[in-house]
Amino acid sequence: MKSFFRRYQLFIVNIVSASGLLATSDLFVQILYEKRETIDKKRFLAALGTGAVMGVEGHIWYSYIDRVMAQRTWRDVFKKVAIDQTIGAPFYALTYIVGTSILEDRTSSAELTSDIRKNFFPLYLADCLIFAPIQLINFKYVPAFYRVPFLSLAAFVFDAFISAYKHEEKPMTVPEQA
């Protein structure tokens, strides 16, 4: 058992940190933001399951990026951030939207398409604004072993935002400028 954990330690840490923090942030939203009397267990479990999938994605994605660009020069760091924001971030946004929708029984193509149309662009834009600077720190200073847990911890507030945004009864709007 020890050798199994030692061999897959990074993989397990990535899954546990991503799923645990995504689910905890959703719980935080349900209790403090939405002020629910009872917890929506299906939604909580959907966040937990989607977080596990995102932990696997993060493990594979960041291992790949680190193999392709192993140095921590500023040039490589900026390349990693650009690649992560153009390839990784849209994939993560889709995983979150589709994963939580499916696990919340919104499985028809019309429901999935509606969820993607409503949520993708705002979540992707917020991701780019928030995570580009965080990824600069991550790729430059955080050792590869801690990359996904660092991102999961940094993402706690963002995850609360996306949970609140996706489950908002009435869509959030940006006020028009006069």
Side-chain angles (χ1 to χ4, degrees):
M1 186 62 143
K2 261 187 178 177
S3 64
F4 172 83
F5 183 74
R6 194 172 298 129
R7 182 174 182 189
Y8 295 104
Q9 182 178 7
L10 177 60
F11 185 69
I12 293 166
V13 165
N14 289 342
I15 292 171
V16 169
S17 65
S19 64
L21 285 166
L22 184 62
T24 303
S25 65
D26 180 69
L27 197 59
F28 175 83
V29 168
Q30 289 191 48
I31 294 169
L32 298 176
Y33 177 72
E34 297 172 355
K35 302 195 185 318
R36 289 178 172 261
E37 295 291 322
T38 59
I39 301 302
D40 182 342
K41 291 179 186 126
K42 182 183 282 188
R43 180 173 139 184
F44 173 76
L45 292 173
L48 190 67
T50 302
V53 171
M54 293 174 83
V56 171
E57 288 174 359
H59 179 81
I60 294 167
W61 176 244
Y62 294 115
S63 296
Y64 171 75
I65 287 178
D66 287 337
R67 271 196 314 276
V68 173
M69 290 176 269
Q71 296 183 7
R72 290 187 181 188
T73 63
W74 280 111
R75 183 177 180 202
D76 278 356
V77 167
F78 281 109
K79 282 183 192 176
K80 284 180 178 183
V81 171
I83 289 170
D84 186 55
Q85 292 303 305
T86 56
I87 298 170
F91 195 72
Y92 273 113
L94 284 173
T95 299
Y96 175 77
I97 295 164
V98 172
T100 54
S101 294
I102 288 172
L103 293 172
E104 292 168 358
D105 289 330
R106 294 182 50 79
T107 57
S108 74
S109 61
E111 289 172 318
L112 289 172
T113 302
S114 172
D115 286 352
I116 291 168
R117 283 190 180 142
K118 175 185 165 205
N119 297 303
F120 179 78
F121 183 72
L123 297 183
Y124 175 63
L125 180 62
D127 186 288
C128 289
L129 292 172
I130 293 167
F131 281 99
I134 290 171
Q135 289 291 50
L136 286 172
I137 294 166
N138 193 25
F139 290 131
K140 182 68 176 172
Y141 301 110
V142 177
F145 184 84
Y146 299 108
R147 191 149 294 147
V148 173
F150 171 79
L151 279 177
S152 296
L153 191 57
F156 182 82
V157 172
F158 180 74
D159 292 343
F161 162 75
I162 63 175
S163 177
Y165 183 86
K166 182 175 184 286
H167 297 98
E168 185 74 27
E169 293 297 322
K170 56 182 179 171
M172 295 177 189
T173 59
V174 177
E176 291 186 32
Q177 297 292 327

